[in-house]
Structures are given as structure tokens and as C-alpha cells.
Amino acid sequence: MKSSILIKKKDKFFVEDVCIDSIIEKFATPTYIYSKKRIVDNFKNLESAFKNVDHLICFAVKANSNLAILQLLAKNGAGFDIVSGGELRRVIAANGDPKKIVFSGVGKTSEEIKLAIENNILAFNIESEDELTRIQEIAKSLSKQASISIRVNPDVNANTHPYISTGLKENKFGVSEESALNLYKKAKTMDSILIKGIDCHIGSQITDLKPFEDSVKKLIALIDKLEIEGINIEHIDIGGGIGISYEDEKAIPFDDYAKAVTTLTKGRDLKILTPTSNERNYGEQDKFWCMPLPKNKNYKRCVDFQNDVYVSDIELAIREGFRSIEHVKRYTTLGMATDQGRT
């Protein structure tokens, strides 16, 4: 795992040779700071790992919908995984290519489906028969065809935190293999539906290759069953977040991940889609939050004082997570630690 973008020089913190103090003084706090270089490097490294196969790296917009970051990724050729019409509009505003967009999630409204069809997105990732029927009806009303994948729940344990595990049968995401087979058969009979791919997502912060391998094997087996039914699958969408090292976790190298996936898909005419989750896409370690911490709050691994400012990548309290917190500077100006985090 790469080292942090946050560098300490003579008791001051820097990101890409820019002093954190100067950013705080200009923008106040709270302020998020990102490394453009690290984002691009991470993306290009993942791209390089799949260079020998047809592929598309899709950034999960729910991880960060900042227009500057979306524009940066679009400029470098990224695709996008979205879960709402608002995210679709943001990708388009950032000059992202709609033909590189997959639309995931269970809460798609009719208006959002219509917007996506009108913009000719790559595919909808479908999670129910009702959704499939609704997309057929809307596409038909527009005299267009909508491309779809079906999200399969492979019943694979990602060995990650239970709050971010999505690939077990007891999780609420995706459909069973048997249900997926029936949905594909139904989709084949619909005149406004084009079957394009197969999809799964097994969780985030995954630090072991085996769950990825197990899920791909199950998708390949289902692809073979579909072929017998005369249903051709063009792309395989391997969802799940490659974890990073917050403390002593061993992160999966991109090359190892790509090798594991491409070994299993070798000899098949399949485009590989790898939507990145909110770990290694732009990198949790590639952004920092500068903030004043309110007095008398018990933050793990931190002793805080009013009017001090800290730099941290804290954000997942609801997942019982933790993040490192480091002191940046002491302010003497009263009122720095307000509810709004502004002076």
C-alpha cells in the first residue's frame, strides 16, 4: 500500500508541496483536501493491471460526487457506476461519457430510468422483476431499447465488516442465481430490452482475493447456463471494494486482483467491468478532512482541545470504524469550533 499523501515537514503538514496551514487560512474548516496526483496514479495503476483485456473501470459516484473529481476521472477515461438521476446529471456535467455509465441500486424512479435511457447509458443493473418490467415499459414508450445486466447475489462471504457485506444470501442486495436465470429468460422475450451483462457486488474493504474468485466462478457458471438458453452475455461486472490498509491490513495489489479475475475469464469473449468502491477508487488515504473538534467529545485515539484544528480521514462512525487524527495547529481566535466549523 502506498504511503499517505500527508507529509510532515518541520512540524507542518503538506499535501503535494502545499502547506495545510495555507489551505485552512484560505478556506477555513471543515475542509476536504484531495491529491490529484494520487487519484490519477491509482486509476492508471488499475487500468494498467487490466491492459491485456477488454475492460472498463467504473468509479462509484456515491463514493464522491465532487464535480472536480468526476471531471478528472472522466478526462482520464473512467466509466461511472451511479445510483440516482442526480448522479447521472453530475457525471454528464463533468463531461463523463453516458455510454460508460452503469446504473445500479434498487430505488430507481421512473423519471430516473427515462433520463438514463434518453442518455443511452451502458446498462442498468437490475435487482427485481418489477424493475425489469418497468424499464421495458419506459423504453417501449420512448421507442428505444434499454441495455441491462442482472445483479446476482452469489452468496459469497467477503470476510469484511457486516455493515458493508453485500454478497451473502441474507443480505438484501441482488437476486439468487435461480431467480436471475428466470429473469434473463423473461428479459429475452422483451422487445425493448437488450441483455448485455451480468453483475454482482460482494462488499467493501475486501482484503482477500478468494471472495472475488468465488464470486467470479459463480457468475461464469451462470453465464454457461445462460448460453444453453441462447442468452449471450457481453460483459461481467465484478463489484466490490478492494480494501486499503487503515492499520495493519494487507491490501490486495491491483496486479494480483486483475490476474485472479482474468485467469477465470480467459478464453471468453467478455468485457470486464470493475466498479471501484470507496476505498481504492480515489483512495480513503488520498483525502483528508481538516476540522475543529468540539470540546468534550470522546474521539478514539485522540485528545482534543477547543480551538485546535486536526487533520483526519475520519468518516465511518456508523460502521463502528475509526480513523487516525493528527493535530495541525492551535488557533487563539475565539469561536473557531462552532457548530458550522467556521470562524
Side-chain angles (χ1 to χ4, degrees):
M1 184 64 192
K2 291 183 178 180
S3 60
S4 170
I5 61 167
L6 192 66
I7 305 300
K8 192 173 185 178
K9 302 177 183 178
K10 296 182 179 179
D11 298 323
K12 290 186 180 293
F13 289 94
F14 293 79
V15 174
E16 291 189 17
D17 296 323
V18 178
C19 182
I20 298 297
D21 286 358
S22 65
I23 296 174
I24 293 171
E25 289 167 2
K26 183 174 181 178
F27 297 103
T29 61
T31 297
Y32 282 99
I33 302 168
Y34 302 88
S35 168
K36 175 182 177 181
K37 181 179 185 304
R38 181 64 67 84
I39 292 169
V40 173
D41 285 350
N42 283 350
F43 178 78
K44 288 185 175 179
N45 287 339
L46 186 54
E47 276 270 280
S48 178
F50 283 94
K51 64 184 177 182
N52 294 322
V53 297
D54 190 12
H55 70 278
L56 178 65
I57 310 299
C58 295
F59 175 75
V61 179
K62 65 181 179 182
N64 194 324
S65 59
N66 183 298
L67 285 174
I69 289 176
L70 298 183
Q71 189 171 40
L72 176 64
L73 289 164
K75 184 178 179 180
N76 281 275
F80 297 90
D81 186 301
I82 64 170
V83 295
S84 72
E87 289 185 357
L88 173 57
R89 290 187 179 92
R90 292 186 77 82
V91 171
I92 293 171
N95 297 317
D97 184 353
K99 293 183 176 63
K100 292 182 178 181
I101 293 175
V102 290
F103 197 158
S104 302
V106 297
K108 307 177 187 76
T109 67
S110 295
E111 291 76 15
E112 290 173 328
I113 291 170
K114 180 175 181 289
L115 178 66
I117 293 172
E118 289 173 337
N119 280 278
N120 300 310
I121 67 167
L122 175 60
F124 291 94
N125 285 336
I126 287 175
E127 298 199 38
S128 71
E129 183 176 350
D130 286 346
E131 182 183 351
L132 175 62
T133 301
R134 187 160 12 103
I135 291 174
Q136 155 71 12
E137 292 171 350
I138 294 170
K140 193 174 185 67
S141 72
L142 296 171
S143 299
K144 295 176 74 85
Q145 288 185 308
S147 299
I148 64 104
S149 298
I150 292 174
R151 178 173 176 175
V152 180
N153 184 319
D155 194 23
V156 167
N157 189 350
N159 298 315
T160 187
H161 194 286
Y163 292 2
I164 50 176
S165 177
T166 60
L168 289 168
K169 63 181 179 181
E170 59 260 34
N171 298 136
K172 62 183 179 180
F173 305 100
V175 299
S176 68
E177 295 174 52
E178 182 180 356
S179 296
L181 185 57
N182 292 331
L183 279 177
Y184 276 114
K185 289 178 181 179
K186 182 170 184 176
K188 185 183 177 183
T189 68
M190 295 178 167
D191 57 1
S192 294
I193 294 292
L194 292 176
I195 297 172
K196 290 292 185 180
I198 191 167
D199 168 55
C200 76
H201 191 291
I202 57 174
S204 298
Q205 185 56 17
I206 301 170
T207 56
D208 181 6
L209 277 174
K210 190 175 186 302
F212 287 115
E213 293 171 330
D214 290 345
S215 61
V216 172
K217 288 176 183 177
K218 290 196 173 186
L219 292 187
I220 292 294
L222 185 52
I223 288 172
D224 289 341
K225 291 179 182 179
L226 292 170
E227 187 175 355
I228 294 172
E229 300 292 335
I231 298 171
N232 179 56
I233 298 298
E234 298 179 14
H235 74 245
I236 181 170
D237 187 339
I238 308 164
I242 303 174
I244 67 170
S245 179
Y246 286 112
E247 285 199 311
D248 56 1
E249 303 95 333
K250 187 176 181 181
I252 301 171
F254 287 152
D255 286 342
D256 291 355
Y257 169 68
K259 182 178 180 180
V261 171
T262 56
T263 296
L264 293 170
T265 58
K266 187 176 181 179
R268 296 175 179 271
D269 187 18
L270 282 172
K271 184 172 186 174
I272 297 172
L273 272 61
T274 57
T276 52
S277 187
N278 63 334
E279 290 92 24
R280 294 284 284 278
N281 41 23
Y282 63 90
E284 289 286 353
Q285 290 187 339
D286 303 336
K287 78 177 191 306
F288 288 91
W289 183 21
C290 291
M291 74 290 193
L293 295 180
K295 195 174 183 180
N296 298 325
K297 293 289 184 181
N298 294 319
Y299 290 92
K300 291 182 180 179
R301 302 172 60 195
C302 170
V303 178
D304 56 87
F305 302 91
Q306 191 173 21
N307 297 335
D308 276 18
V309 171
Y310 294 81
V311 63
S312 171
D313 59 347
I314 202 167
E315 76 167 31
L316 299 181
I318 61 170
R319 298 178 184 172
E320 298 178 358
F322 63 89
R323 301 293 181 266
S324 60
I325 302 175
E326 296 192 62
H327 181 256
V328 175
K329 68 185 298 182
R330 157 60 65 92
Y331 280 87
T332 56
T333 305
L334 293 176
M336 187 65 193
T338 64
D339 290 342
Q340 291 77 32
R342 303 291 184 189
T343 53

